[in-house]
Amino acid sequence: MAEINALAKLFGNDQFSFIDLTHPMKEGMPVWRTHPPFCQDVIESYDDGDLACNHSLCLSEHSGTHFDAPLHFIKGAKSIADIPLQQFFGRMATISAQDCAPCEAVGVDRILDFEDLHGPIETDDAVFFHFGWDRFWNDALHQDRFLKDWPGLSQAASEYLLDKDVRIVGSDCLSIDRYGSTDFPAHNILLGSDVLIGENFANLGQVPPYCFLAAMPLAIAGGSGAPARAVALVRSPTAPNQMAAASSQADVNSRGKA
């Protein structure tokens, strides 16, 4: 009980900022060229005299901000519903890559530079690349930019992250593989080893190099992926002292009940 109380205090005392990494789903949002558009149709309406409001939805497993499960590229692999819940929670590294050229395949050097500046990527980290592509998502005049020319990961970078034993790799682009890729090295390397892929993430420019990721995709049986609500928890400047106080109080409560 003491641990639960301490956790509740961490979330309830402004110790963290909650950064929404999720694009709201709405009609007209960008989708992969072979996927159905997102549709939201009225089923029940107050205006029609109904007692409740309800909509039907049409979407892909890869609509909006979402995760790819291994099944997306690997026949017979795990579906999104088979992924252990703890894989969606944990430390998150965000690598700035806004200076990438269109269609660039990010190499290992960029990851090494990040680690030199901010510390090593560790086992079970989630690693996201901030290309700045989310700025095109809601721009009706330039939305076609979101659908082409995005950067992605090279084979070497994908293999490096796999060797680091990370749990998730993602970006703010439509695909983790660069635009125009025909062999999809990142998808095959990462999903082939049960490393999840996150795509179409938002607001990666608002998070520090390391923070905490909490995300929950829909549990679609047999699903090759699923839309998700993803949130980054960013510690506030005063958090260390508050966290220590919460931990100390938890110890006192635990000892008092022993």
Side-chain angles (χ1 to χ4, degrees), residues 91 93-95 108-123 125 127 160-161 164 166 209-210:
R91 198 173 76 145
T94 302
I95 299 174
V108 176
D109 286 348
R110 185 176 292 268
I111 304 173
L112 295 176
D113 288 344
F114 171 87
E115 292 184 295
D116 286 342
L117 284 173
H118 305 293
I121 293 168
E122 299 177 352
T123 296
D125 278 349
V127 180
Y160 179 81
L161 292 174
K164 299 287 285 189
V166 302
Y210 284 106

Side-chain angles (χ1 to χ4, degrees), residues 36-71:
F38 177 81
C39 297
Q40 182 182 26
D41 295 322
V42 174
I43 300 300
E44 295 176 289
S45 167
Y46 301 126
D47 293 338
D48 293 337
D50 296 312
L51 296 178
C53 175
N54 183 29
H55 300 87
S56 67
L57 302 177
C58 175
L59 70 163
S60 162
E61 295 172 332
H62 304 269
S63 293
T65 302
H66 67 274
F67 287 103
D68 291 354
L71 181 62

Side-chain angles (χ1 to χ4, degrees), residues 97-98 129-136 172-173:
Q98 298 177 79
F129 292 82
H130 175 221
F131 293 112
W133 228 248
D134 58 336
R135 70 188 185 275
F136 302 127
D172 48 15
C173 296

Side-chain angles (χ1 to χ4, degrees), residues 147-197:
L147 296 171
K148 64 181 182 180
D149 296 339
W150 63 81
L153 292 196
S154 66
Q155 177 176 331
S158 302
E159 290 172 342
Y160 179 81
L161 292 174
L162 184 63
D163 289 341
K164 299 287 285 189
D165 201 22
V166 302
R167 72 183 196 283
I168 297 170
V169 177
S171 78
D172 48 15
C173 296
L174 196 61
S175 171
I176 195 64
D177 282 292
R178 67 180 179 86
Y179 179 77
S181 175
T182 58
D183 55 351
F184 299 95
H187 276 87
N188 282 291
I189 290 167
L190 298 171
L191 296 179
S193 294
D194 289 344
V195 178
L196 301 182
I197 291 173

Side-chain angles (χ1 to χ4, degrees), residues 19 21 94 96 98 130-132 134 172 201-208:
I19 307 299
L21 304 180
T94 302
S96 178
Q98 298 177 79
H130 175 221
F131 293 112
D134 58 336
D172 48 15
F201 273 59
N203 299 322
L204 293 177
Q206 297 183 27
V207 301

